């Protein structure tokens, strides 16, 4: 039995999130400009989305561009935005063929008009697809997201849609996040040997399992996704309970 067959047989996580890190360093190690690393990273995205569809993963979230990334050199940001616009147009037929539904979370008003116009078209075109839910975190930051959710709750209270602040639950708060209606990640993968969340899904990852590997994102293969899921499947998720409680649940 292959590793792919093993993980499908054992039961998949519902939602995998990935911090795609290391494009620039991958390029620099090869004496190339950082933009070449980002181009190679797009090819990895294609591989991983295809792999997710092949094993039947329901949700895949990719940390594509953070709010902090706007502070990078403007030439690199422009190259990234141009690459994104080109990739949307180029990959739309393949995403449709794979039945992928695309969603976006983040402060999207910061995106260039052309990028958001093309992205909006992709979201609309794939809205009825029933394969992998591909969630792209664009101009995203978890602290921004949590603050915005708190503002929306305060607005709802002020305008009478919430009658008693004491009645607000974690579920109510989660529903005001950009990920409202999307299950929390079961597994988060980060490439490039870094061991931090980098302001990504801080609320949602309260009980997420983490998997870190030293490989840069452009070198990430389908097999690496399968190995991450296999590792996850061999862990005991207790959610604050004892091991005995989980077994007897």
């Amino acid at each position: 039995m292959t590793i792919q067959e093993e993980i499908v047989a054992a039961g998949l996580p519902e939602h995998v999130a990935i911090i795609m890190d290391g494009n620039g360093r991958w390029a620099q190690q090869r004496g190339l400009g950082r933009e070449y690393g980002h181009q190679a990273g797009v090819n990895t995205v294609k591989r991983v989305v295809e792999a997710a569809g092949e094993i039947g993963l329901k949700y895949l979230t990719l940390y594509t561009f953070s709010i902090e990334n706007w502070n990078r050199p403007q030439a690199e940001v422009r190259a990234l935005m141009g690459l994104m616009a080109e990739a949307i147009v180029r990959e739309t037929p393949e995403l449709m063929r794979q039945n992928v539904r695309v969603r976006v979370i983040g402060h999207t008003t910061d995106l260039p008009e052309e990028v958001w116009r093309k992205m909006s078209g992709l979201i609309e075109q794939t809205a009825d697809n029933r394969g992998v839910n591909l969630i792209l975190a664009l101009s995203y930051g978890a602290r921004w997201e949590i603050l915005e959710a708190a503002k929306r709750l305060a607005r709802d209270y002020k305008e009478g849609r919430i009658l008693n602040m004491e009645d607000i639950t974690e579920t109510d708060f989660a529903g005001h996040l950009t990920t409202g209606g999307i299950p929390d990640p079961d597994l988060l993968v980060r490439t490039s040997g870094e061991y931090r969340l980098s302001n990504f899904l801080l609320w949602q990852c309260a009980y997420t399992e983490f998997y870190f590997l030293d490989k840069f994102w452009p070198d990430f293969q389908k097999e690496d996704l399968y190995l991450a899921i296999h590792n996850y499947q061999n862990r005991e998720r207790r959610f604050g309970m004892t091991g005995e409680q989980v077994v007897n649940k």
Side-chain angles (χ1 to χ4, degrees), residues 10-70:
L12 295 170
E14 185 176 22
H15 184 176
V16 174
I18 304 179
I19 300 176
M20 308 179 294
D21 197 17
N23 290 344
R25 282 169 285 166
W26 178 91
Q28 288 171 334
Q29 283 188 356
R30 289 159 176 77
L32 302 171
R34 292 175 62 88
E35 65 273 15
Y36 290 98
H38 296 308
Q39 290 172 358
V42 171
N43 294 328
T44 304
V45 170
K46 291 167 59 177
R47 283 198 299 272
V48 171
V49 171
E50 184 176 61
E54 289 171 352
I55 61 177
L57 194 65
K58 291 183 179 180
Y59 294 89
L60 175 67
T61 297
L62 302 179
Y63 202 5
T64 308
F65 192 87
S66 73
I67 285 178
E68 291 79 13
N69 286 155
W70 292 112

Side-chain angles (χ1 to χ4, degrees), residues 26 29-30 40 44 47 215-221 224:
W26 178 91
Q29 283 188 356
R30 289 159 176 77
T44 304
R47 283 198 299 272
K215 188 173 289 189
F216 290 137
W217 178 246
D219 292 326
F220 192 87
Q221 304 296 323
D224 293 307

Side-chain angles (χ1 to χ4, degrees), residues 27-235:
Q28 288 171 334
Q29 283 188 356
R30 289 159 176 77
L32 302 171
R34 292 175 62 88
E35 65 273 15
Y36 290 98
H38 296 308
Q39 290 172 358
V42 171
N43 294 328
T44 304
V45 170
K46 291 167 59 177
R47 283 198 299 272
V48 171
V49 171
E50 184 176 61
E54 289 171 352
I55 61 177
L57 194 65
K58 291 183 179 180
Y59 294 89
L60 175 67
T61 297
L62 302 179
Y63 202 5
T64 308
F65 192 87
S66 73
I67 285 178
E68 291 79 13
N69 286 155
W70 292 112
N71 296 320
R72 290 189 175 189
Q74 286 305 299
E76 181 177 351
V77 172
R78 284 195 298 271
L80 271 168
M81 292 296 115
L83 182 62
M84 194 180 304
E86 292 171 8
I88 291 167
V89 174
R90 186 176 63 248
E91 300 303 326
T92 295
E94 183 62 19
L95 291 170
M96 292 299 296
R97 187 190 69 80
Q98 294 181 33
N99 202 28
V100 174
R101 180 184 181 187
V102 177
R103 307 188 194 186
V104 171
I105 58 173
H107 194 223
T108 55
T109 55
D110 285 342
L111 296 171
E113 183 179 348
E114 180 189 12
V115 172
W116 182 238
R117 177 172 54 81
K118 291 180 177 179
M119 184 62 73
S120 297
L122 178 61
I123 293 168
E124 183 178 353
Q125 192 169 346
T126 62
D128 293 329
N129 289 349
R130 291 295 177 264
V132 179
N133 286 273
L134 175 61
I135 301 148
L136 303 177
L138 281 172
S139 191
Y140 173 87
R143 288 184 173 181
W144 162 82
E145 177 187 38
I146 291 169
L147 180 59
E148 288 300 305
K151 289 178 181 178
R152 283 193 286 272
L153 276 170
R155 204 155 40 237
D156 285 349
Y157 178 70
K158 181 179 179 181
E159 295 173 3
R161 288 185 290 275
I162 296 174
L163 300 180
N164 188 346
M165 291 290 283
E166 299 302 318
D167 293 336
I168 296 174
T169 65
E170 288 188 7
T171 301
D172 295 328
F173 188 85
H176 283 71
L177 296 169
T178 62
T179 54
I182 299 170
D184 291 343
D186 301 294
L187 171 66
L188 181 138
V189 178
R190 180 166 188 158
T191 59
S192 87
E194 302 290 355
Y195 296 85
R196 56 179 178 269
L197 283 175
S198 296
N199 199 19
F200 184 50
L201 301 178
L202 299 181
W203 173 280
Q204 298 86 341
C205 283
Y207 277 100
T208 298
E209 297 292 328
F210 296 163
Y211 182 87
F212 301 101
L213 70 165
D214 291 333
K215 188 173 289 189
F216 290 137
W217 178 246
D219 292 326
F220 192 87
Q221 304 296 323
K222 290 183 179 182
E223 188 84 356
D224 293 307
L225 177 64
Y226 302 152
L227 289 171
I229 293 174
H230 186 265
N231 179 281
Y232 161 86
Q233 290 173 331
N234 285 280
R235 301 184 190 183

